[in-house]
C-alpha cells in the first residue's frame, strides 16, 4: 500500500487516504446559501475518491464575506442544504470538513471573474473591518479598525458557526487564518498596527486567533479534529514569517489543534513569490520536523508520484490539492491505479476500473 492511500486517524475520525480537496470559493451563493452547485461540485470529488474535502471558506458573518456571493454559516437557515451535502459526502466514505472564515479588509469585493476590486455600499457592498485602518490596496475598501466590542463579535460569530458546523454534519473544522483574511491580518505586523493587547508583540498578534480557537472549542467536540490554515510567510520583508509560524505551531499544539494546513501569502500585494511544483512544501516540512505537529502540504501538487514522495519523505501528513481537483475530480481513483493500489471504487463505476 502506498503512503498516499494509507488511512490517517485524527481523534475519532479516520481519513481513508491522504488526498484532500483544498477549500475553494465558488462565489455561487446568495445570502450565504449553498446550492445544488455545491452538492454536485463537492459530491463529485467525494465520488472521485478523496479522503477529505474541506468545503470553501464559509463566512461566519455577512460582513466577513469576500464577495456578496460567498457561502455563509451565520444563520440556522443555512444548515438544511449543508446537511444534504455532508450527508452525500459522508456516504461516499469521504470526511466532510468546513473552512470557517472572516475576510476582514479583503471583504466586500467583486468575484474573480468580474475582476476583484471593491464593491461599493450602493452596489450591495458593506463597511469592512480589520485590525487597523489600512486598506489592502488602492482598489480595495478602507477598513474600520475593530474596537473591543467588534473583536468580541468576531469571536462570538466563530463560536456560533462552530455550533452550526456540527449540526450541519461536518466532521472537521478548519479555521482560516491565511491568505490575508481577518485572522491573518491580526498575525501580520504589516496589517496590524494596533497598540492594545491585540497588536505589537507576537503574543498580542496571535491573541485573536487563540481566542477564536478557544471559542470554537467550547462548541466543537474534543474528539473531532480542529485544524488551522496559515500563510507560513507573507513573502514581504518585515511581515509574518516562517520562524513565527513555527512558534505558533508549538502553541497551537498545546491548545489541542490537530493539524496545520500550510499555505502562504495573500496579505500584501508587495509579496514576491517564486512559484513552482510544491513551492510551499518546505514550510510544511519545517513545521512538521521542528514541532512534530501534523501538517498538510498545499500548492502546485498535481501528480501521484509527487504526492507520494512528499509523504515518503515525511514532509507532510495530508496532501491538499485545489486546482488539479478542478481539472480532475477523479484524481484519487486514477492515482491509486498509478501507484498500484487496489482501492474500492464506487460500485456504479466499477466497470471502468
Ligand atoms: C477557485 C479557487 C478558490 C479558492 N478558494 C479558497 C478558499 O475558499 N479558502 C482557501 O483557504 N483557499 C482558497 N483557494 C486556495 C486553494 O485552496 C489553494 O491553497 C491554492 O489554490 C494552491 O493550491 P493548488 O496549487 O493545488 O491550486 C482557492 C483557490 C482556487 C483556485
Amino acid at each position: 500500500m502506498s503512503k498516499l492511500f494509507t488511512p490517517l486517524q485524527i481523534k475519532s475520525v479516520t481519513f481513508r487516504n491522504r488526498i484532500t480537496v483544498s477549500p475553494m470559493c465558488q462565489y455561487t451563493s446568495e445570502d450565504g446559501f449553498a446550492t445544488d452547485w455545491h452538492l454536485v461540485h463537492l459530491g463529485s470529488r467525494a465520488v472521485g475518491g478523496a479522503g477529505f474535502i474541506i468545503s470553501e471558506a464559509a463566512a461566519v458573518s455577512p460582513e466577513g464575506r469576500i464577495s456578496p456571493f460567498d457561502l455563509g454559516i451565520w444563520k440556522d437557515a443555512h444548515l438544511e442544504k449543508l446537511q444534504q451535502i455532508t450527508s452525500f459526502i459522508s456516504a461516499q466514505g469521504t470526511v466532510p470538513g468546513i473552512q470557517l472564515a472572516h475576510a476582514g479588509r479583503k471583504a466586500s469585493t467583486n468575484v474573480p471573474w468580474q475582476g476583484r476590486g471593491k464593491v461599493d455600499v450602493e452596489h450591495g457592498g458593506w463597511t469592512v473591518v480589520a485590525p487597523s485602518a489600512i486598506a489592502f490596496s488602492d482598489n480595495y475598501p478602507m477598513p474600520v479598525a475593530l474596537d473591543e466590542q467588534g473583536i468580541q463579535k468576531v469571536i462570538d460569530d466563530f463560536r456560533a458557526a462552530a455550533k452550526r458546523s456540527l449540526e450541519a454534519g461536518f466532521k472537521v473544522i478548519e479555521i482560516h487564518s491565511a491568505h490575508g483574511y481577518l485572522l491573518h491580518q491580526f498575525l501580520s505586523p504589516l496589517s496590524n498596527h494596533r497598540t492594545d493587547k491585540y497588536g505589537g508583540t507576537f503574543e498580542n498578534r496571535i491573541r485573536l486567533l487563540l481566542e477564536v480557537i478557544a471559542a470554537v472549542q467550547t462548541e466543537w467536540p474534543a474528539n473531532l479534529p480542529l485544524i488551522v490554515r496559515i500563510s507560513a510567510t507573507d513573502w514581504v520583508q518585515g511581515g509574518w514569517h516562517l520562524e513565527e509560524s513555527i512558534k505558533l505551531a508549538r502553541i497551537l499544539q498545546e491548545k489541542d489543534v490537530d493539524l496545520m494546513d500550510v499555505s502562504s501569502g495573500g496579505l500584501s500585494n508587495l509579496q514576491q513569490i517564486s512559484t513552482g511544483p510544491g513551492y510551499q512544501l518546505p514550510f510544511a516540512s519545517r513545521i512538521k520536523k521542528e514541532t512534530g505537529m501534523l501538517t498538510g502540504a498545499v500548492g502546485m501538487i498535481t501528480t501521484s508520484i509527487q504526492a507520494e514522495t512528499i509523504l515518503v519523505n515525511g514532509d507532510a501528513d495530508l496532501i491538499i490539492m485545489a486546482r488539479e481537483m478542478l481539472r480532475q475530480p477523479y484524481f484519487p481513483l486514477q492515482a491509486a491505479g498509478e501507484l498500484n493500489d487496489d482501492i474500492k471504487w464506487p460500485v456504479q463505476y466499477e466497470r471502468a476500473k
Side-chain angles (χ1 to χ4, degrees), residues 22-25 57 99 176 179 229 298-300 321-323:
S22 202
M24 279 182 279
C25 284
Q99 186 183 53
H176 197 353
H179 302 168
R229 173 168 268 197
V298 64
M300 297 182 79
M321 299 169 65
R323 287 164 294 179

Side-chain angles (χ1 to χ4, degrees), residues 276-292:
Y279 70 103
Q280 298 174 143
L281 179 62
F283 306 136
S285 176
R286 275 270 318 269
I287 291 169
K288 181 173 169 56
K289 287 176 179 162
E290 291 204 18
T291 69

Side-chain angles (χ1 to χ4, degrees), residues 170-185:
F170 290 103
K171 295 286 182 280
V172 182
I173 284 181
E174 173 169 279
I175 294 174
H176 197 353
S177 186
H179 302 168
Y181 296 115
L182 184 70
L183 297 176
H184 182 187
Q185 289 159 27

Side-chain angles (χ1 to χ4, degrees), residues 38-352:
H38 298 93
L39 175 65
V40 175
H41 162 67
L42 299 170
S44 312
R45 280 139 193 94
V47 170
F52 178 25
I53 294 177
I54 310 174
S55 68
E56 70 193 83
V60 299
S61 60
E63 65 274 17
R65 292 172 296 172
I66 302 167
S67 82
F69 305 102
D70 284 28
L71 186 70
I73 187 157
W74 64 81
K75 56 184 172 185
D76 290 344
H78 288 145
L79 297 185
E80 190 181 348
K81 193 70 185 178
L82 294 174
Q83 280 157 352
Q84 189 191 1
I85 294 168
T86 59
S87 160
F88 183 85
I89 292 174
S90 301
Q92 310 317 310
T94 304
V95 176
I98 183 166
Q99 186 183 53
L100 298 183
H102 189 304
R105 69 177 184 171
K106 286 173 82 176
S108 191
T109 60
N110 274 312
V111 297
W113 50 87
Q114 288 176 348
R116 300 260 193 212
K118 73 175 160 196
V119 178
D120 292 318
V121 174
E122 51 273 28
H123 296 108
W126 55 92
T127 303
V128 310
V129 296
S132 306
I134 308 167
F136 174 70
S137 70
D138 290 346
N139 61 343
Y140 272 64
M142 177 54 77
V144 172
L146 282 162
D147 57 17
E148 288 233 4
Q149 205 183 345
I151 289 178
Q152 193 53 51
K153 180 183 182 308
V154 169
I155 296 167
D156 293 341
D157 288 340
F158 270 96
R159 181 190 294 112
K163 183 166 189 279
R164 290 197 186 95
S165 300
L166 188 66
E167 286 167 29
F170 290 103
K171 295 286 182 280
V172 182
I173 284 181
E174 173 169 279
I175 294 174
H176 197 353
S177 186
H179 302 168
Y181 296 115
L182 184 70
L183 297 176
H184 182 187
Q185 289 159 27
F186 272 83
L187 297 182
S188 175
L190 301 175
S191 43
N192 181 349
H193 290 189
R194 298 178 75 93
T195 52
D196 63 0
K197 65 178 182 175
Y198 292 99
T201 62
F202 170 82
E203 285 69 27
N204 283 355
R205 284 180 282 117
I206 68 167
R207 187 179 307 281
L208 179 59
L209 173 59
L210 298 188
E211 289 181 353
V212 163
I213 290 169
V216 164
Q217 286 169 329
T218 63
E219 297 291 346
W220 192 243
N223 67 344
L224 291 181
L226 175 63
I227 70 181
V228 173
R229 173 168 268 197
I230 64 154
S231 285
T233 173
D234 288 342
W235 298 102
V236 181
Q237 198 74 35
W240 177 266
H241 53 82
L242 180 59
E243 301 311 319
E244 289 187 313
S245 297
I246 293 169
K247 214 165 137 185
L248 176 64
R250 290 205 177 91
I251 295 166
L252 295 191
Q253 269 183 305
E254 285 167 17
K255 305 285 179 196
D256 203 26
V257 172
D258 298 290
L259 180 141
M260 195 176 253
D261 170 358
V262 187
S263 189
S264 74
L267 191 280
S268 162
N269 58 9
L270 299 175
Q271 64 186 19
Q272 300 277 335
I273 309 184
S274 43
T275 58
Y279 70 103
Q280 298 174 143
L281 179 62
F283 306 136
S285 176
R286 275 270 318 269
I287 291 169
K288 181 173 169 56
K289 287 176 179 162
E290 291 204 18
T291 69
M293 189 172 196
L294 297 180
T295 59
V298 64
M300 297 182 79
I301 304 171
T302 55
T303 71
S304 55
I305 301 292
Q306 184 191 9
E308 178 67 6
T309 306
I310 291 169
L311 297 171
V312 168
N313 289 343
D315 288 325
D317 302 278
L318 283 182
I319 300 299
I320 305 178
M321 299 169 65
R323 287 164 294 179
E324 187 59 20
M325 282 290 184
L326 296 185
R327 291 185 282 265
Q328 169 46 317
Y330 306 105
F331 173 84
L333 300 182
Q334 186 185 310
E338 290 164 2
L339 298 173
N340 291 321
D341 285 326
D342 185 17
I343 63 160
K344 195 171 165 322
W345 279 42
V347 285
Q348 300 90 332
Y349 285 18
E350 265 179 356
R351 289 176 68 188

